[in-house]
């Protein structure tokens, strides 16, 4: 008999796991609560323009990269519309402290040379640092799509892996500004000083040092292609009908029920939503209280306040790189608390088909702790009240003001602005506290931070950014881990490698 699986959640993790399993002969049904599938791959339309909600800059998507190889195995790599970010300047970092800016190049040599141009006395140290983090990432089997005997092949395997990332960087370079530059992406992967493990910094940094990519015409194309793989192999993707209950009996899932009353039964069930959100779909006795308490107690990574801006025609140049802004006194490792929220942001101009000299849209993402919206925690979309709307408008004006430090008179070039807060992320993605990167990883207590893809319910598995890594690379890799619980250790990894070899 053909084995079957029901996947709760049609985001990045659910769709990748579903596509892999469907391709390998498993009967797959994906159930997504939103009318639009994709989670962080979702796009939405405002002011006649289409905006990405999450996947703005991609690591591992260049030919030969880990995510590209997974997509090649699934048969969708050549169907994706992508644009490589400029290698000579992949990112520009602006420090409001003194108005200085730094351009960072791609490729190991390009990265070293661009930073060494600003810090010539540190060139040897920068080179040693790059060799160290690329070497560290190279030891992680799953990240490199190598067969492994370890059940959790993203776990640390060498000395230094569990050192705090900020301390790890400091052992290579002396200059405080350079240390910040080597970790400028930290706020956007939930980096916390003294806690984020060096191996996470190494993997994320290596991805982007090797060169980043962007979707042309929106990230929703990947969700559509992954859903296509599922359907082409006999599976089903159901949108707009969220799961309301997961029935567990004798430590086995028997069925899931949806809000419209539909019932789905399968051999296996995969939760591709936040584990704490999943708890609300289960009876209290389905999982041990100790397990629930542990996961509920794990801190979530930071959320974000975002702007989606339509620009006036021919008013703002297209930038084939991202701009990072660090506020006065901001520390790249200090974004996780409440306090003053605007410590920095990333600004991007998403490319479209036939991209010309000017950009139609700009997206700005500013890390923001959920504490900043805690007073509206129990409100719902469209019913948060005038005080909340006024608060949002004030935050928009703050952000636009800081953008004008880099781009004078920017407001004059803006046609329309839409804003989202951590509440938006929480409600549309079903993510606890609107976390951008899932559970926060703490090198001082990794056992507390680790969430295996297997659970105490025999046929219930987890996938998504709360196990292993987050983002366009981490989530598909975790989907491999989850799928291989059903298919067998290294089954998907070997299939990917066979595809690459052929």
């Amino acid at each position: 008999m053909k084995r079957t699986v029901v996947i709760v959640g049609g985001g990045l993790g659910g769709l990748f796991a579903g596509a892999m399993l469907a391709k390998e002969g498993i009967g797959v049904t994906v159930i997504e609560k939103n009318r639009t599938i994709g989670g962080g791959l979702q796009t939405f339309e405002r002011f006649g323009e289409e905006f990405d909600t999450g996947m703005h800059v991609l690591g591992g998507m260049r030919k030969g990269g880990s995510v590209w190889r997974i997509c090649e195995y699934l048969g969708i790599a050549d169907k994706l519309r992508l644009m490589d970010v400029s290698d000579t300047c992949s990112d520009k970092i602006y420090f409001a402290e003194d108005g200085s800016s730094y351009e960072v190049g791609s490729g190991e040599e390009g990265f070293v040379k661009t930073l060494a141009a600003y810090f010539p006395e540190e060139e040897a140290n920068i080179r040693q640092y790059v060799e160290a983090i690329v070497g560290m990432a190279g030891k992680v089997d799953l990240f490199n799509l190598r067969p492994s005997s370890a059940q959790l092949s993203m776990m640390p395997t060498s000395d230094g892996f569990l050192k705090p990332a900020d301390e790890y960087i400091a052992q290579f370079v002396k200059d405080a500004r350079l240390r910040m530059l080597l970790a400028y992406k930290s706020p956007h992967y939930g980096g916390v000083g003294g806690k984020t493990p060096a191996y996470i910094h190494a993997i994320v940094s290596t991805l982007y040092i090797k060169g980043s990519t962007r979707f042309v015409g929106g990230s929703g194309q990947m969700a559509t292609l992954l859903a296509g793989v599922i359907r082409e192999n006999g599976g089903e993707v159901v949108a707009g009908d969220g799961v309301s209950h997961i029935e567990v009996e004798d430590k086995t899932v028997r069925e899931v029920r949806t809000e419209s009353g539909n019932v789905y039964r399968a051999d296996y069930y995969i939760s591709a939503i936040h584990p704490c959100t999943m708890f609300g779909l289960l009876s209290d006795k389905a999982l041990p209280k100790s397990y629930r308490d542990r996961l509920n107690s794990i801190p979530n990574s930071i959320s974000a306040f975002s702007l989606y801006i339509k620009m006036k025609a021919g008013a703002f140049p297209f930038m084939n790189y991202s701009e990072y802004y660090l506020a006065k006194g901001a520390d790249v490792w200090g974004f996780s608390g409440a306090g003053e929220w605007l410590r920095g942001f990333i600004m991007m101009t998403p490319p479209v088909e036939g991209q010309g000299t000017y950009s139609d849209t700009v997206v700005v993402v500013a890390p923001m702790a959920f504490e900043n919206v805690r007073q509206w925690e129990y409100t719902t979309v469209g019913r948060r009240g005038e005080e909340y709307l006024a608060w949002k408008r004030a935050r928009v004006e703050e952000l636009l003001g800081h953008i004008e430090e880099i781009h004078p008179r920017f407001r004059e070039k803006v046609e329309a602005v839409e804003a989202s807060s951590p509440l938006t992320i929480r409600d549309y993605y079903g993510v606890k506290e609107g976390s951008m990167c899932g559970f926060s990883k703490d090198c001082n207590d990794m056992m507390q931070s680790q969430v295996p893809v297997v659970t105490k319910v025999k046929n219930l598995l987890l996938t998504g950014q709360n196990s292993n890594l987050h983002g366009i690379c981490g989530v598909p890799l975790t989907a491999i881990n989850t799928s291989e619980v059903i298919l067998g250790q290294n089954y998907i990894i070997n299939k990917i490698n066979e595809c690459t070899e052929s």
Side-chain angles (χ1 to χ4, degrees):
M1 295 288 291
K2 185 175 184 177
R3 290 180 292 175
T4 55
V5 61
V6 167
I7 300 175
V8 180
L12 185 64
L15 291 174
F16 262 101
M20 293 172 192
L21 291 167
K23 182 176 175 64
E24 298 306 328
I26 305 295
V28 173
T29 301
V30 177
I31 306 172
E32 166 57 41
K33 69 165 186 169
N34 292 326
R35 286 175 291 180
T36 303
I37 61 170
L41 292 171
Q42 287 182 70
T43 59
F44 68 95
E45 188 175 311
R46 288 290 186 281
F47 327 120
E49 302 289 347
E50 191 168 19
F51 293 91
D52 295 335
T53 58
M55 300 298 167
H56 304 295
V57 185
L58 318 172
M61 283 297 294
R62 293 197 178 187
K63 188 169 183 178
S66 52
V67 188
W68 187 90
R69 290 175 62 197
I70 295 170
C71 291
E72 184 184 35
Y73 149 73
L74 291 172
I76 64 173
D78 61 346
K79 300 174 185 176
L80 290 165
R81 303 185 305 279
L82 304 168
M83 174 186 288
D84 287 344
V85 169
S86 169
D87 285 331
T88 55
C89 174
S90 59
D91 292 313
K92 185 179 288 188
I93 304 95
Y94 175 87
F95 286 83
E97 199 75 50
D98 54 14
S100 60
S101 62
Y102 304 81
E103 296 183 1
V104 179
S106 296
E108 292 177 43
E109 190 62 23
F111 185 86
V112 171
K113 288 297 186 184
T114 49
L115 286 179
Y118 302 107
F119 304 91
E121 71 285 356
E122 295 265 24
E123 180 169 0
N125 295 332
I126 298 169
R127 192 175 300 280
Q128 186 182 10
Y129 158 80
V130 170
E131 290 173 355
I133 63 165
V134 171
M136 183 179 286
K139 293 177 181 177
V140 181
D141 288 334
L142 184 57
F143 177 68
N144 292 280
L145 299 174
R146 287 193 303 260
S148 173
S149 58
Q151 185 179 5
L152 290 175
S153 47
M154 197 69 92
M155 283 290 286
T157 59
S158 181
D159 292 340
F161 270 55
L162 293 183
K163 192 167 189 173
D166 52 332
E167 294 179 20
Y168 187 81
I169 294 170
Q171 72 187 21
F172 292 97
V173 298
K174 300 175 182 178
D175 189 281
R177 175 63 59 86
L178 178 56
R179 291 178 186 177
M180 291 238 276
L181 283 166
L182 294 177
Y184 70 94
K185 288 186 183 291
S186 166
H188 300 276
Y189 61 78
V192 179
K195 292 185 177 181
T196 299
Y199 82 94
I200 290 181
H201 170 77
I203 287 173
V204 174
S205 297
T206 297
L207 277 173
Y208 292 101
I209 285 174
K210 289 183 178 294
S212 52
T213 307
R214 296 196 281 185
F215 286 114
V216 175
S219 56
Q221 59 181 290
M222 177 172 271
T224 300
L225 290 170
L226 290 169
V229 174
I230 294 168
R231 293 177 175 128
E232 288 160 12
N233 287 279
E236 186 180 10
V237 179
V238 180
D241 189 17
V243 169
S244 58
H245 183 68
I246 301 173
E247 183 66 30
V248 176
E249 185 180 305
D250 296 329
K251 295 185 179 179
T252 303
V253 179
R254 301 301 182 187
E255 63 184 32
V256 300
R257 297 194 290 272
T258 67
E259 293 167 355
S260 66
N262 290 319
V263 175
Y264 296 87
R265 298 184 179 91
D267 300 309
Y268 300 93
Y269 299 80
I270 297 173
S271 173
I273 60 178
H274 194 293
C276 297
T277 304
M278 177 191 70
F279 293 157
L281 306 177
L282 296 161
S283 67
D284 289 342
K285 296 180 180 179
L287 288 165
K289 183 177 183 298
S290 59
Y291 178 80
R292 300 166 77 110
D293 288 347
R294 181 173 77 84
L295 269 61
N296 277 320
S297 70
I298 301 174
N300 288 278
S301 57
I302 198 164
S303 189
F305 189 94
S306 300
L307 301 184
Y308 304 94
I309 306 172
K310 179 175 182 177
M311 305 303 295
K312 294 176 182 177
F316 193 76
F318 171 71
M319 305 181 300
N320 196 19
Y321 55 88
S322 300
E323 288 189 329
Y324 289 77
Y325 172 97
L326 278 168
K328 291 180 180 178
D331 181 343
V332 291
W333 299 105
F335 278 62
S336 57
E340 287 184 48
W341 77 278
L342 217 171
R343 294 178 173 90
F345 58 81
I346 178 176
M347 180 173 175
M348 300 152 285
T349 54
V352 296
E353 294 285 355
Q355 179 63 57
T357 304
Y358 295 97
S359 181
D360 299 327
T361 62
V362 170
V363 174
V364 181
V365 179
M368 174 183 275
F370 192 78
E371 292 305 315
N372 289 277
V373 294
R374 184 72 70 183
Q375 68 187 92
W376 300 288
E377 182 175 8
Y378 299 106
T379 62
T380 57
V381 177
R383 298 178 180 177
R384 307 202 197 279
E386 180 54 39
E387 185 181 7
Y388 172 74
L389 295 177
W391 174 86
K392 277 182 71 176
R393 288 192 292 269
R395 302 294 80 73
V396 170
E397 287 305 309
E398 274 188 84
L399 261 175
L400 291 175
H402 286 294
I403 290 170
E404 289 192 331
E405 293 177 38
I406 311 173
H407 301 285
R409 304 176 71 177
F410 181 79
R411 285 184 178 90
E412 298 176 9
K413 303 170 185 178
V414 172
E415 183 170 316
V417 181
E418 179 72 44
S420 70
S421 79
L423 293 168
T424 316
I425 298 173
R426 181 199 67 177
D427 292 344
Y428 280 97
Y429 294 170
V431 176
K432 187 177 179 181
E433 298 185 339
S435 167
M436 285 195 297
C437 309
F439 286 136
S440 184
K441 303 293 190 297
D442 187 346
C443 62
N444 304 297
D445 190 1
M446 285 303 293
M447 292 306 295
Q448 175 77 354
S449 304
Q450 292 296 319
V451 181
V453 297
V454 296
T455 71
K456 298 294 184 181
V457 176
K458 288 180 282 190
N459 61 342
L460 176 61
L461 306 172
L462 306 179
T463 203
Q465 65 179 0
N466 294 287
S467 298
N468 286 330
L469 289 179
H470 71 284
I472 191 68
C473 183
V475 172
L477 293 175
T478 302
I480 292 175
N481 265 346
T482 304
S483 300
E484 289 187 343
V485 173
I486 297 172
L487 297 168
Q489 184 79 22
N490 296 320
Y491 184 97
I492 297 291
I493 294 289
N494 288 334
K495 288 282 187 176
I496 293 170
N497 288 320
E498 288 170 12
C499 176
T500 303
E501 291 166 4
S502 62

